[in-house]
Amino acid sequence: MSALLSSLWEQTINLTLFVILLRMMPPILLGALGGLMTDRAGVINIGIEGLMLVSAFTSVAAGSATGSWIIGMAAGVLAAMIVSYAMAFFSLKMNVDIIVTGFAVNIFGAGITVLMMSILYDSHGSYVPENPVSIPNVVIPFLDQIPFIGKLLSGHNLMVWVSILAVVFCYYLLYHTPYGTHLRATGEEPGAARSLGIPVVRIQYSALVWSGFFAGLAGSYLSMGMTSMFVRDMTAGTGFLALAVVIFGNRNPFGILAGSAVFALATAMTMIIETTPGNVIPSQFIKMVPYIVTIVALVVYAIRKHRKTLFT
């Protein structure tokens, strides 16, 4: 145990833990932002997991075929947006329950990616391109030469910065634009919003497409940023963690950023503990850590919300 604590402390001091945290955060954060947009519009999208899988496979397939990570990412995001638009059509036009539609998207994402991998690459478990392409890391000139600051701010994947900028973008969109006001009004009081002439259905369509956009970015990062391959069910519950972060972050972009950092920290600590020499903790217990953190976070949020209700 002392060796484990020593390893955690050492990797905290030399910023390795921080680097892993930033590496693990974008898919959770981007997925949560997608969930936030639909939650605010009153059509919560629980199909984030499936959208991320569709994007992850499409990105690595298109990227390896064209040799361009930009085309790969664009293809993945577009595929996720198309699926989310179809989800909007079934739930808003055909009146299929949004939760059922979300589950259908998750099942579809898990199935279609394995099917296409089997058809295109004759593989059922994973696909490693012969000429893989990756989303580049951003090295800031001069800053990367500074011992502490360089490791803190330079050398991270482009999607780390994109995900942080996405938080600012969502905050501005939700709280400083007429569209954001209409979207929040649609989610809180759709009847009242409709009476004021706000196109409720159109706003909800757009919110679901926004969720596809952010989930698409998250999926692209999984297959072209964190890795350069596609693995069956490689999201491993990240989409569901993202939905928990929406609640834990109090449905606010900056709260979601903080919540994503907490969940990414739990995942980073899991990775460090697993790779510590002489570790005696069972691997099954270690892999439970992010999900235990999820449950604890939701319980804390529920208690906090209950106390606010008592004193109002």
Side-chain angles (χ1 to χ4, degrees), residues 42-250:
V43 282
I44 184 66
N45 182 5
I46 66 167
I48 299 294
E49 183 94 354
L51 294 174
M52 290 172 65
L53 278 173
V54 169
S55 174
F57 176 78
T58 307
S59 294
V60 76
S64 62
T66 61
S68 169
W69 66 267
I70 297 176
I71 294 176
M73 178 183 291
V77 170
L78 181 61
M81 291 175 71
I82 291 172
V83 175
S84 63
Y85 186 86
M87 181 180 180
F89 173 80
F90 281 108
S91 60
L92 301 176
K93 182 72 172 178
M94 306 301 291
N95 295 319
V96 179
D97 186 271
I98 189 69
I99 302 299
V100 174
T101 310
F103 274 117
V105 168
N106 288 331
I107 296 170
F108 171 79
I112 194 66
T113 51
V114 175
L115 175 64
M116 295 305 297
M117 185 165 54
S118 174
I119 294 173
L120 297 177
Y121 308 114
D122 193 28
S123 175
H124 299 280
S126 63
Y127 166 59
V128 182
E130 293 183 3
N131 300 304
V133 292
S134 301
I135 300 171
N137 294 332
V138 177
V139 177
I140 304 174
F142 305 110
L143 196 63
D144 64 315
Q145 302 298 323
I146 304 175
F148 183 83
I149 301 297
K151 194 169 185 179
L152 192 66
L153 298 176
S154 182
H156 304 300
N157 192 273
L158 174 64
M159 292 304 295
V160 172
W161 302 111
V162 169
S163 63
I164 294 173
L165 289 174
V167 172
V168 179
F169 171 78
C170 284
Y171 181 82
Y172 180 81
L173 184 69
L174 287 173
Y175 297 103
H176 295 281
T177 66
Y179 171 80
T181 303
H182 292 172
L183 187 143
R184 287 183 288 118
T186 296
E188 292 171 9
E189 290 291 344
R194 192 176 289 108
S195 69
L196 293 173
I198 296 174
V200 170
V201 174
R202 190 184 304 171
I203 291 290
Q204 291 176 332
Y205 260 98
S206 67
L208 283 164
V209 173
W210 272 118
S211 74
F213 174 77
F214 288 116
L217 289 176
S220 295
Y221 175 71
L222 284 175
S223 62
M224 293 200 307
M226 292 181 69
T227 63
S228 295
M229 60 186 293
F230 178 81
V231 179
R232 179 176 183 170
D233 295 328
M234 69 185 303
T235 48
T238 303
F240 295 110
L241 283 178
L243 293 175
V245 170
V246 174
I247 300 172
F248 181 67
N250 203 26

